[in-house]
PDB file of all heavy atoms in Angstrom:
ATOM      1  N   ALA D 567      15.823  -9.256  29.858  1.00 58.00           N
ATOM      2  CA  ALA D 567      16.387  -8.485  28.678  1.00 58.00           C
ATOM      3  C   ALA D 567      16.584  -7.084  29.031  1.00 58.00           C
ATOM      4  O   ALA D 567      17.332  -6.480  28.355  1.00 58.00           O
ATOM      5  CB  ALA D 567      15.390  -8.688  27.520  1.00 58.00           C
ATOM      6  N   ILE D 572      18.011   0.593  25.037  1.00 76.00           N
ATOM      7  CA  ILE D 572      19.317   0.501  24.779  1.00 76.00           C
ATOM      8  C   ILE D 572      19.879  -0.851  25.426  1.00 76.00           C
ATOM      9  O   ILE D 572      20.632  -1.517  24.781  1.00 76.00           O
ATOM     10  CB  ILE D 572      20.152   1.703  25.557  1.00 76.00           C
ATOM     11  CG1 ILE D 572      19.732   2.957  24.936  1.00 76.00           C
ATOM     12  CG2 ILE D 572      21.725   1.377  25.289  1.00 76.00           C
ATOM     13  CD1 ILE D 572      19.994   3.165  23.449  1.00 76.00           C
ATOM     14  N   THR D 573      19.399  -1.224  26.625  1.00 73.00           N
ATOM     15  CA  THR D 573      19.812  -2.437  27.183  1.00 73.00           C
ATOM     16  C   THR D 573      19.253  -3.655  26.414  1.00 73.00           C
ATOM     17  O   THR D 573      20.087  -4.675  26.184  1.00 73.00           O
ATOM     18  CB  THR D 573      19.254  -2.632  28.664  1.00 73.00           C
ATOM     19  OG1 THR D 573      19.643  -1.440  29.381  1.00 73.00           O
ATOM     20  CG2 THR D 573      19.612  -3.904  29.292  1.00 73.00           C
ATOM     21  N   LYS D 574      18.036  -3.540  25.870  1.00 72.00           N
ATOM     22  CA  LYS D 574      17.563  -4.549  24.989  1.00 72.00           C
ATOM     23  C   LYS D 574      18.340  -4.802  23.725  1.00 72.00           C
ATOM     24  O   LYS D 574      18.625  -5.888  23.323  1.00 72.00           O
ATOM     25  CB  LYS D 574      16.088  -4.301  24.664  1.00 72.00           C
ATOM     26  CG  LYS D 574      15.179  -4.595  25.873  1.00 72.00           C
ATOM     27  CD  LYS D 574      13.617  -4.410  25.467  1.00 72.00           C
ATOM     28  CE  LYS D 574      12.778  -4.718  26.551  1.00 72.00           C
ATOM     29  NZ  LYS D 574      11.309  -4.522  26.196  1.00 72.00           N
ATOM     30  N   LEU D 575      18.710  -3.683  23.172  1.00 76.00           N
ATOM     31  CA  LEU D 575      19.577  -3.740  21.871  1.00 76.00           C
ATOM     32  C   LEU D 575      20.884  -4.321  22.139  1.00 76.00           C
ATOM     33  O   LEU D 575      21.329  -5.177  21.429  1.00 76.00           O
ATOM     34  CB  LEU D 575      19.750  -2.300  21.305  1.00 76.00           C
ATOM     35  CG  LEU D 575      18.526  -1.600  20.668  1.00 76.00           C
ATOM     36  CD1 LEU D 575      18.802  -0.183  20.287  1.00 76.00           C
ATOM     37  CD2 LEU D 575      18.311  -2.426  19.319  1.00 76.00           C
ATOM     38  N   LYS D 576      21.512  -3.944  23.236  1.00 79.00           N
ATOM     39  CA  LYS D 576      22.872  -4.495  23.512  1.00 79.00           C
ATOM     40  C   LYS D 576      22.748  -5.919  23.795  1.00 79.00           C
ATOM     41  O   LYS D 576      23.511  -6.829  23.229  1.00 79.00           O
ATOM     42  CB  LYS D 576      23.349  -3.885  24.773  1.00 79.00           C
ATOM     43  CG  LYS D 576      23.945  -2.491  24.448  1.00 79.00           C
ATOM     44  CD  LYS D 576      24.568  -1.868  25.782  1.00 79.00           C
ATOM     45  CE  LYS D 576      25.178  -0.444  25.529  1.00 79.00           C
ATOM     46  NZ  LYS D 576      25.568   0.132  26.811  1.00 79.00           N
ATOM     47  N   GLY D 577      21.623  -6.406  24.517  1.00 75.00           N
ATOM     48  CA  GLY D 577      21.491  -7.788  24.702  1.00 75.00           C
ATOM     49  C   GLY D 577      21.226  -8.611  23.507  1.00 75.00           C
ATOM     50  O   GLY D 577      21.702  -9.729  23.384  1.00 75.00           O
ATOM     51  N   ALA D 578      20.379  -8.078  22.537  1.00 75.00           N
ATOM     52  CA  ALA D 578      20.042  -8.662  21.267  1.00 75.00           C
ATOM     53  C   ALA D 578      21.282  -9.014  20.474  1.00 75.00           C
ATOM     54  O   ALA D 578      21.477 -10.129  19.958  1.00 75.00           O
ATOM     55  CB  ALA D 578      19.097  -7.963  20.510  1.00 75.00           C
ATOM     56  N   PHE D 579      22.235  -8.064  20.476  1.00 80.00           N
ATOM     57  CA  PHE D 579      23.456  -8.239  19.572  1.00 80.00           C
ATOM     58  C   PHE D 579      24.471  -8.992  20.331  1.00 80.00           C
ATOM     59  O   PHE D 579      25.464  -9.543  19.661  1.00 80.00           O
ATOM     60  CB  PHE D 579      23.963  -6.875  19.145  1.00 80.00           C
ATOM     61  CG  PHE D 579      23.111  -6.271  18.114  1.00 80.00           C
ATOM     62  CD1 PHE D 579      22.253  -5.287  18.334  1.00 80.00           C
ATOM     63  CD2 PHE D 579      23.295  -6.773  16.760  1.00 80.00           C
ATOM     64  CE1 PHE D 579      21.457  -4.731  17.357  1.00 80.00           C
ATOM     65  CE2 PHE D 579      22.481  -6.180  15.741  1.00 80.00           C
ATOM     66  CZ  PHE D 579      21.634  -5.087  16.068  1.00 80.00           C
ATOM     67  N   THR D 580      24.454  -9.146  21.664  1.00 82.00           N
ATOM     68  CA  THR D 580      25.483  -9.953  22.318  1.00 82.00           C
ATOM     69  C   THR D 580      25.135 -11.348  22.459  1.00 82.00           C
ATOM     70  O   THR D 580      25.827 -12.200  22.758  1.00 82.00           O
ATOM     71  CB  THR D 580      25.911  -9.318  23.755  1.00 82.00           C
ATOM     72  OG1 THR D 580      24.566  -9.109  24.460  1.00 82.00           O
ATOM     73  CG2 THR D 580      26.519  -7.981  23.505  1.00 82.00           C
ATOM     74  N   ASP D 581      23.720 -11.666  22.429  1.00 81.00           N
ATOM     75  CA  ASP D 581      23.201 -12.964  22.582  1.00 81.00           C
ATOM     76  C   ASP D 581      23.375 -13.627  21.159  1.00 81.00           C
ATOM     77  O   ASP D 581      22.824 -13.275  20.187  1.00 81.00           O
ATOM     78  CB  ASP D 581      21.751 -12.916  22.980  1.00 81.00           C
ATOM     79  CG  ASP D 581      21.132 -14.229  23.110  1.00 81.00           C
ATOM     80  OD1 ASP D 581      21.437 -15.015  24.085  1.00 81.00           O
ATOM     81  OD2 ASP D 581      20.371 -14.691  22.249  1.00 81.00           O
ATOM     82  N   LEU D 582      24.206 -14.769  21.171  1.00 87.00           N
ATOM     83  CA  LEU D 582      24.556 -15.387  19.900  1.00 87.00           C
ATOM     84  C   LEU D 582      23.359 -15.819  19.020  1.00 87.00           C
ATOM     85  O   LEU D 582      23.291 -15.516  17.804  1.00 87.00           O
ATOM     86  CB  LEU D 582      25.521 -16.546  20.122  1.00 87.00           C
ATOM     87  CG  LEU D 582      26.016 -17.317  18.874  1.00 87.00           C
ATOM     88  CD1 LEU D 582      26.839 -16.377  17.987  1.00 87.00           C
ATOM     89  CD2 LEU D 582      26.870 -18.547  19.386  1.00 87.00           C
ATOM     90  N   PRO D 583      22.391 -16.673  19.581  1.00 86.00           N
ATOM     91  CA  PRO D 583      21.342 -17.026  18.725  1.00 86.00           C
ATOM     92  C   PRO D 583      20.506 -15.831  18.152  1.00 86.00           C
ATOM     93  O   PRO D 583      20.085 -15.945  17.019  1.00 86.00           O
ATOM     94  CB  PRO D 583      20.387 -17.896  19.761  1.00 86.00           C
ATOM     95  CG  PRO D 583      21.389 -18.351  20.708  1.00 86.00           C
ATOM     96  CD  PRO D 583      22.289 -17.163  20.943  1.00 86.00           C
ATOM     97  N   THR D 584      20.283 -14.795  19.042  1.00 86.00           N
ATOM     98  CA  THR D 584      19.572 -13.564  18.581  1.00 86.00           C
ATOM     99  C   THR D 584      20.380 -12.899  17.479  1.00 86.00           C
ATOM    100  O   THR D 584      19.775 -12.392  16.419  1.00 86.00           O
ATOM    101  CB  THR D 584      19.230 -12.675  19.747  1.00 86.00           C
ATOM    102  OG1 THR D 584      18.614 -13.396  20.790  1.00 86.00           O
ATOM    103  CG2 THR D 584      18.323 -11.573  19.346  1.00 86.00           C
ATOM    104  N   ARG D 585      21.622 -12.870  17.655  1.00 89.00           N
ATOM    105  CA  ARG D 585      22.421 -12.123  16.563  1.00 89.00           C
ATOM    106  C   ARG D 585      22.342 -12.827  15.297  1.00 89.00           C
ATOM    107  O   ARG D 585      22.126 -12.241  14.232  1.00 89.00           O
ATOM    108  CB  ARG D 585      23.842 -12.059  17.070  1.00 89.00           C
ATOM    109  CG  ARG D 585      24.726 -11.197  16.159  1.00 89.00           C
ATOM    110  CD  ARG D 585      26.061 -10.759  16.785  1.00 89.00           C
ATOM    111  NE  ARG D 585      26.918 -11.909  16.901  1.00 89.00           N
ATOM    112  CZ  ARG D 585      27.347 -12.425  17.963  1.00 89.00           C
ATOM    113  NH1 ARG D 585      26.861 -11.885  19.183  1.00 89.00           N
ATOM    114  NH2 ARG D 585      28.212 -13.425  18.009  1.00 89.00           N
ATOM    115  N   ARG D 586      22.403 -14.151  15.295  1.00 90.00           N
ATOM    116  CA  ARG D 586      22.311 -14.988  14.146  1.00 90.00           C
ATOM    117  C   ARG D 586      20.937 -14.798  13.532  1.00 90.00           C
ATOM    118  O   ARG D 586      20.738 -14.848  12.308  1.00 90.00           O
ATOM    119  CB  ARG D 586      22.700 -16.406  14.317  1.00 90.00           C
ATOM    120  CG  ARG D 586      24.177 -16.553  14.464  1.00 90.00           C
ATOM    121  CD  ARG D 586      24.626 -18.012  14.832  1.00 90.00           C
ATOM    122  NE  ARG D 586      25.952 -18.211  14.861  1.00 90.00           N
ATOM    123  CZ  ARG D 586      26.693 -19.110  15.358  1.00 90.00           C
ATOM    124  NH1 ARG D 586      26.113 -20.072  16.071  1.00 90.00           N
ATOM    125  NH2 ARG D 586      28.037 -19.278  15.266  1.00 90.00           N
ATOM    126  N   LEU D 588      18.954 -12.216  13.761  1.00 91.00           N
ATOM    127  CA  LEU D 588      18.985 -10.957  13.165  1.00 91.00           C
ATOM    128  C   LEU D 588      19.624 -10.945  11.836  1.00 91.00           C
ATOM    129  O   LEU D 588      19.081 -10.307  10.795  1.00 91.00           O
ATOM    130  CB  LEU D 588      19.591  -9.881  14.033  1.00 91.00           C
ATOM    131  CG  LEU D 588      18.853  -9.318  15.152  1.00 91.00           C
ATOM    132  CD1 LEU D 588      19.542  -8.579  16.181  1.00 91.00           C
ATOM    133  CD2 LEU D 588      17.586  -8.546  14.684  1.00 91.00           C
ATOM    134  N   TYR D 799      13.873 -11.909  23.093  1.00 75.00           N
ATOM    135  CA  TYR D 799      14.177 -10.786  22.278  1.00 75.00           C
ATOM    136  C   TYR D 799      13.198 -10.687  20.971  1.00 75.00           C
ATOM    137  O   TYR D 799      13.633 -10.069  20.042  1.00 75.00           O
ATOM    138  CB  TYR D 799      15.654 -10.901  21.796  1.00 75.00           C
ATOM    139  CG  TYR D 799      16.610 -10.667  22.990  1.00 75.00           C
ATOM    140  CD1 TYR D 799      17.438 -11.705  23.313  1.00 75.00           C
ATOM    141  CD2 TYR D 799      16.756  -9.400  23.523  1.00 75.00           C
ATOM    142  CE1 TYR D 799      18.273 -11.472  24.492  1.00 75.00           C
ATOM    143  CE2 TYR D 799      17.635  -9.264  24.608  1.00 75.00           C
ATOM    144  CZ  TYR D 799      18.456 -10.232  24.948  1.00 75.00           C
ATOM    145  OH  TYR D 799      19.365 -10.025  26.038  1.00 75.00           O
ATOM    146  N   ILE D 802      12.072  -6.806  20.149  1.00 77.00           N
ATOM    147  CA  ILE D 802      13.138  -5.964  19.606  1.00 77.00           C
ATOM    148  C   ILE D 802      13.653  -6.603  18.252  1.00 77.00           C
ATOM    149  O   ILE D 802      13.952  -5.732  17.358  1.00 77.00           O
ATOM    150  CB  ILE D 802      14.296  -5.912  20.620  1.00 77.00           C
ATOM    151  CG1 ILE D 802      15.256  -4.722  20.248  1.00 77.00           C
ATOM    152  CG2 ILE D 802      15.074  -7.146  20.757  1.00 77.00           C
ATOM    153  CD1 ILE D 802      14.687  -3.442  20.441  1.00 77.00           C
ATOM    154  N   GLY D 803      13.770  -7.956  18.117  1.00 80.00           N
ATOM    155  CA  GLY D 803      14.297  -8.524  16.958  1.00 80.00           C
ATOM    156  C   GLY D 803      13.401  -8.187  15.664  1.00 80.00           C
ATOM    157  O   GLY D 803      13.714  -7.776  14.637  1.00 80.00           O
ATOM    158  N   ILE D 806      13.638  -4.359  14.740  1.00 84.00           N
ATOM    159  CA  ILE D 806      14.730  -4.094  13.940  1.00 84.00           C
ATOM    160  C   ILE D 806      14.511  -4.454  12.512  1.00 84.00           C
ATOM    161  O   ILE D 806      14.926  -3.785  11.587  1.00 84.00           O
ATOM    162  CB  ILE D 806      16.052  -4.749  14.565  1.00 84.00           C
ATOM    163  CG1 ILE D 806      16.351  -4.209  15.983  1.00 84.00           C
ATOM    164  CG2 ILE D 806      17.197  -4.631  13.615  1.00 84.00           C
ATOM    165  CD1 ILE D 806      17.457  -4.985  16.750  1.00 84.00           C
TER     166      ILE D 806
END
Side-chain angles (χ1 to χ4, degrees):
I572 301 298
T573 303
K574 286 184 177 180
L575 280 170
K576 287 181 178 178
F579 284 102
T580 54
D581 182 70
L582 181 61
T584 307
R585 188 168 68 247
R586 286 175 171 164
L588 281 168
Y799 292 112
I802 193 72
I806 291 170

